[in-house]
Amino acid sequence: MSGKPNELRADARRNRERVLRTAQQMFAQEGLNVSLDEIARRAGVGPGTVHRHFPAKEALYLAVATDMLQQLVDEAERLAAGDDPAALFTLLSRMMAAGAENAAVKSALAAAEFDLRTAAPDLAADLARHVEGLLGRAHAAGTVRTDATTDEVMALVAGAFAAIRHAGAETSRRRSAHLAGIILDGLRPVAR
Amino acid sequence: MSGKPNELRADARRNRERVLRTAQQMFAQEGLNVSLDEIARRAGVGPGTVHRHFPAKEALYLAVATDMLQQLVDEAERLAAGDDPAALFTLLSRMMAAGAENAAVKSALAAAEFDLRTAAPDLAADLARHVEGLLGRAHAAGTVRTDATTDEVMALVAGAFAAIRHAGAETSRRRSAHLAGIILDGLRPVAR
Amino acid sequence: MSGKPNELRADARRNRERVLRTAQQMFAQEGLNVSLDEIARRAGVGPGTVHRHFPAKEALYLAVATDMLQQLVDEAERLAAGDDPAALFTLLSRMMAAGAENAAVKSALAAAEFDLRTAAPDLAADLARHVEGLLGRAHAAGTVRTDATTDEVMALVAGAFAAIRHAGAETSRRRSAHLAGIILDGLRPVAR
Amino acid sequence: MSGKPNELRADARRNRERVLRTAQQMFAQEGLNVSLDEIARRAGVGPGTVHRHFPAKEALYLAVATDMLQQLVDEAERLAAGDDPAALFTLLSRMMAAGAENAAVKSALAAAEFDLRTAAPDLAADLARHVEGLLGRAHAAGTVRTDATTDEVMALVAGAFAAIRHAGAETSRRRSAHLAGIILDGLRPVAR
DNA sequence: GATGAATGAGACTTCATTCAT
DNA sequence: AATGAATGAAGTCTCATTCAT
């Protein structure tokens, strides 16, 4: 009878968090086919607890994906608030770098036909809006080729994830950055 | 008891082929989780027949993946036989363009931790060898940045697949080519 | 620590009553498989509260059934106190008419092998005793066939419940009475 | 490639039959809540086999109920083909007598809100039609009270099931017949 | 005493694989 | 060799019951 009704009990939130983190790790390591029972076991809760927080497996996919996307949106917001003309490249680099671990999840989700643009349209739109803003700024500053659209930039980020992922799990941070750099170079003005 | 023991009866080969094509399509459309029964049904054979040709589901994954890879190797071989210094770009363009449909399968396989380099090492090595040769030729001709390695080029191809796939199924051929172009541009000498 | 230890606090009794009524309605509407969580929800209490008052689901069945039976016993007692020779028919009519809503619960309980005669032997015996007394009175008055036993009369009441229930929920009160009448007519002396 | 395509393989039919019989017995003995796994175990097949023949639990309910109803329809058809004016009473007696064992199933099905009139409307309509015909014949012969409708007769049969069932599992065949007789007596002309 | 989250056995169902026909 | 029924382990989800708050 106290506290805001919208807030979970302390133990409930702790469990929800634990399940979410465990799911994120396992999806990345083993793919989306890991069983909820296994996730529950590793999170140290019963299968029923998983179900209370995420009534169906899709809800868990959605939560994991949303969580990842939210972090990117936050980063984008921070950058959009500044006035660095190179912010677009910074954001893209961050997205790619941060995606080192999460690319597996993203790839797994994509393979399961789980599209963030459908599942969390608001967040995806937010991200696209920020990228669009930064892209416009970059166009104005002449730091990016004029024929690159927002959608293409987003697609290239997905491509960079895949490239890094393909290069192998043992790929160093430096090598990942190099790959990302090549793709970002492709975005620069073509005047050569 | 006649003919070479290694050769399948005509109907058997026809069935094998039908199952393989059906599986390829369904993996691309629905992901790797489609049931073998469903594949059998659409291929017009019984589930037992699928199992005769592909004793386990992984064998079917392998066959589908190998089949895809083989086409790329063939293309690479043809280009390596010529002497066009731009052959590398031609190959990469072809790989990216041809990957439109197969990207889904590749992505799905990757998500399932199914690595072609492990599953079909010979073919993968063939492809890498050809790319390496073409890359060397391009380096010599000065049409590609000197810090790009064979592995990175291969990774970028995977990245292009993902980018095209992410851009959506409705993406036109022209837009796909544009995306691939941006990635290829990143590979050109950085002299700017 | 005040009052008689056997008496519940006011709010506790109110909750117990609410759960009991809700359960009765839901058993009648949905069958015995409704979940306790759902009952709790509709009663406006937490699942833990249901469990406090009814430690196991069977205890809730028992309470619902006992409650229903008690009403019949009360009615029988009133009639036994009078001296109307037709009291048997009055009682049976009342039982059949009153059973309209409860028949669903009785039927469900019967299907679950839940026997009131076992679960609440005292109440059941009370009712049987009263019916026996009224049956004897009717025999003496010659208003009932001589070969009808107490057990059979009880069984016929159960039959009337089922017949009314089978006729459908939309059955009017008049039609229910007609069905009951036919069964009661079968109990009259066979002199024909 | 031989035989009629509509016919099951010998072993398949044998299994289907076994599952159906087992389900019928267990529903009668334990109610509808018995698990499909348990039915499979007792029938000596795997759970998957149950699922192949009855894709969902409702399909098994339907099959059991339909099977029971079919037997009654067959009996009714035979009697309708004859010209015995007492055929109605014969049919009702048979229904009640045959229901000794199956009443439990019927009651269980009814308790689960599973209505044969909805699930197998054709069979139920067939039965109702035959009863109607026999009832008309009885009316003409003056062996049944004129105010009894087809629906009421059907309801009374359900009532007789319940009465017999309520009288207890140990009830002898003779006692069952007596109960049924009382109900049928109620259907005779009221001229007394 | 009430609440509602956690538990975990078990329900229904799916499906890769085996095997009788 | 092909078929399709059978198998049974495993998956997702439910819910009676327990327990921390």
Side-chain angles (χ1 to χ4, degrees):
Chain A
M1 287 295 176
S2 74
K4 301 153 200 160
N6 207 0
E7 302 226 333
L8 288 170
R9 242 164 53 180
D11 56 345
R13 184 159 65 226
R14 203 165 43 242
N15 275 338
R16 200 195 119 96
E17 206 64 13
R18 260 213 294 229
V19 170
L20 195 58
R21 294 287 161 253
T22 307
Q24 198 160 326
Q25 284 169 32
M26 297 194 69
F27 286 160
Q29 283 166 25
E30 325 262 349
L32 291 189
N33 280 340
V34 286
S35 79
L36 295 185
D37 281 15
E38 184 67 14
I39 291 175
R41 213 178 51 71
R42 289 226 206 160
V45 303
T49 300
V50 174
H51 185 255
R52 161 172 289 268
H53 292 296
F54 310 100
K57 202 175 190 182
E58 279 233 331
L60 189 51
Y61 293 163
L62 179 58
V64 168
T66 297
D67 195 65
M68 282 165 38
L69 196 52
Q70 184 62 57
Q71 294 175 24
L72 294 182
V73 170
D74 291 348
E75 181 80 21
E77 209 146 295
R78 257 186 309 266
L79 286 165
D83 60 355
D84 179 5
L88 177 66
F89 288 91
T90 307
L91 174 60
L92 298 184
S93 299
R94 291 278 170 83
M95 284 169 83
M96 294 174 186
E101 168 193 346
N102 290 350
V105 178
K106 200 163 186 327
S107 161
L109 290 171
E113 305 296 314
F114 189 93
D115 193 334
L116 276 174
R117 285 167 293 191
T118 303
D122 291 352
L123 277 175
D126 280 355
L127 185 58
R129 194 160 38 76
H130 288 310
V131 169
E132 185 152 34
L134 297 177
L135 180 60
R137 201 189 289 175
H139 275 157
T143 59
V144 77
R145 57 198 291 171
T146 54
D147 61 349
T149 68
T150 302
D151 284 351
E152 281 174 342
V153 170
M154 302 291 280
L156 286 173
V157 171
F161 280 159
I164 291 169
R165 181 159 206 283
H166 181 270
E170 76 288 351
T171 304
S172 73
R173 181 170 301 275
R174 221 184 59 234
R175 295 199 42 185
S176 296
H178 194 234
L179 267 176
I182 291 177
I183 290 184
L184 290 176
D185 279 347
L187 273 176
R188 299 194 189 276
V190 280
R192 4 183 165 191
Chain B
M1 285 298 175
S2 73
K4 303 155 200 160
N6 206 3
E7 301 229 330
L8 291 169
R9 245 165 49 180
D11 57 345
R13 184 160 64 228
R14 207 166 39 240
N15 276 339
R16 199 194 121 94
E17 206 62 16
R18 261 215 294 232
V19 169
L20 194 57
R21 293 289 162 250
T22 306
Q24 196 159 332
Q25 285 169 30
M26 297 195 69
F27 287 161
Q29 285 167 23
E30 324 263 350
L32 296 188
N33 280 339
V34 286
S35 76
L36 293 185
D37 280 17
E38 185 67 13
I39 292 175
R41 211 177 52 71
R42 288 223 205 164
V45 303
T49 302
V50 173
H51 188 251
R52 160 163 295 270
H53 292 297
F54 309 98
K57 203 174 188 182
E58 279 237 330
L60 190 51
Y61 292 164
L62 179 58
V64 168
T66 298
D67 196 65
M68 283 166 35
L69 194 51
Q70 184 62 56
Q71 294 175 24
L72 295 182
V73 171
D74 290 348
E75 181 81 20
E77 209 145 296
R78 247 183 322 252
L79 286 164
D83 61 354
D84 179 6
L88 176 66
F89 289 92
T90 307
L91 174 60
L92 298 184
S93 297
R94 292 276 170 86
M95 285 168 83
M96 293 173 184
E101 170 190 345
N102 293 350
V105 179
K106 289 199 70 154
S107 164
L109 288 169
E113 303 290 308
F114 188 93
D115 191 340
L116 270 175
R117 285 166 292 190
T118 304
D122 292 352
L123 277 176
D126 279 355
L127 184 58
R129 193 160 39 73
H130 288 310
V131 169
E132 185 152 34
L134 295 177
L135 181 59
R137 202 189 289 174
H139 275 157
T143 59
V144 77
R145 57 198 289 173
T146 54
D147 61 350
T149 68
T150 301
D151 284 351
E152 280 173 342
V153 171
M154 302 291 279
L156 286 172
V157 171
F161 282 156
I164 291 170
R165 179 168 160 69
H166 180 271
E170 76 288 349
T171 304
S172 73
R173 182 169 301 273
R174 221 184 59 232
R175 295 199 42 184
S176 296
H178 195 234
L179 268 175
I182 290 177
I183 291 184
L184 292 176
D185 279 346
L187 273 176
R188 300 195 188 276
V190 280
R192 1 184 167 190
Chain C
M1 286 299 176
S2 74
K4 300 155 201 159
N6 207 3
E7 301 227 333
L8 291 168
R9 242 165 53 179
D11 58 344
R13 184 159 64 227
R14 206 164 42 239
N15 275 340
R16 199 194 121 95
E17 205 63 15
R18 264 214 294 231
V19 170
L20 193 57
R21 293 288 162 251
T22 306
Q24 196 159 332
Q25 285 169 30
M26 298 194 68
F27 287 161
Q29 285 166 23
E30 323 262 352
L32 295 188
N33 281 339
V34 286
S35 77
L36 293 185
D37 280 17
E38 185 67 14
I39 291 175
R41 213 178 50 73
R42 288 223 207 165
V45 304
T49 301
V50 173
H51 188 252
R52 158 163 296 270
H53 291 297
F54 309 99
K57 204 175 189 182
E58 279 237 330
L60 190 50
Y61 292 164
L62 179 58
V64 167
T66 298
D67 196 64
M68 283 166 35
L69 193 51
Q70 184 62 57
Q71 294 175 25
L72 294 182
V73 171
D74 291 349
E75 181 82 20
E77 208 146 295
R78 248 183 321 250
L79 285 164
D83 60 354
D84 179 4
L88 177 66
F89 289 92
T90 307
L91 174 60
L92 298 184
S93 297
R94 292 277 171 83
M95 286 168 83
M96 294 173 183
E101 170 192 343
N102 293 349
V105 180
K106 289 199 69 154
S107 165
L109 288 169
E113 303 289 309
F114 188 93
D115 191 341
L116 270 176
R117 285 167 293 191
T118 303
D122 293 351
L123 277 176
D126 279 356
L127 184 58
R129 193 159 40 73
H130 288 309
V131 168
E132 186 152 32
L134 295 177
L135 180 60
R137 204 189 287 176
H139 275 159
T143 59
V144 78
R145 56 198 290 173
T146 54
D147 61 350
T149 69
T150 301
D151 283 352
E152 282 174 341
V153 170
M154 302 290 280
L156 286 172
V157 171
F161 282 154
I164 291 170
R165 178 169 161 69
H166 181 271
E170 76 290 348
T171 304
S172 72
R173 180 169 302 275
R174 223 185 56 233
R175 295 198 44 182
S176 296
H178 194 234
L179 269 175
I182 291 177
I183 290 184
L184 292 177
D185 280 346
L187 273 177
R188 298 195 189 276
V190 280
R192 3 184 166 188
Chain D
M1 290 294 178
S2 73
K4 300 152 201 161
N6 206 0
E7 302 225 333
L8 288 170
R9 242 166 54 180
D11 56 346
R13 186 159 64 225
R14 204 165 43 240
N15 274 338
R16 201 196 118 96
E17 206 64 14
R18 261 213 293 231
V19 169
L20 195 57
R21 294 287 162 252
T22 306
Q24 198 160 327
Q25 284 169 31
M26 297 194 70
F27 286 160
Q29 284 166 24
E30 325 261 350
L32 291 190
N33 280 339
V34 285
S35 81
L36 294 186
D37 281 15
E38 184 67 14
I39 291 174
R41 214 179 50 72
R42 288 225 206 162
V45 304
T49 301
V50 174
H51 186 253
R52 160 173 290 268
H53 291 295
F54 309 100
K57 202 175 191 183
E58 279 233 333
L60 188 51
Y61 292 164
L62 179 58
V64 167
T66 298
D67 195 64
M68 283 166 38
L69 196 52
Q70 184 63 58
Q71 294 176 24
L72 294 182
V73 170
D74 291 348
E75 181 80 21
E77 210 146 295
R78 258 188 308 267
L79 286 165
D83 61 354
D84 179 5
L88 177 66
F89 289 91
T90 307
L91 175 60
L92 297 185
S93 299
R94 292 278 170 84
M95 284 168 82
M96 294 173 186
E101 168 194 345
N102 290 350
V105 179
K106 200 163 185 326
S107 162
L109 291 170
E113 304 296 314
F114 189 91
D115 193 333
L116 277 174
R117 285 167 294 191
T118 304
D122 291 351
L123 278 175
D126 279 355
L127 185 58
R129 195 162 38 75
H130 288 310
V131 169
E132 185 153 34
L134 296 178
L135 181 59
R137 200 189 288 173
H139 276 157
T143 57
V144 76
R145 57 198 290 173
T146 55
D147 61 350
T149 69
T150 301
D151 284 351
E152 282 174 341
V153 171
M154 302 292 279
L156 287 173
V157 171
F161 280 159
I164 291 169
R165 181 156 207 284
H166 180 268
E170 76 289 349
T171 304
S172 72
R173 181 170 302 274
R174 221 184 59 233
R175 294 200 42 184
S176 296
H178 194 235
L179 268 175
I182 291 177
I183 290 184
L184 291 176
D185 279 347
L187 273 176
R188 300 195 189 278
V190 281
R192 6 185 164 188

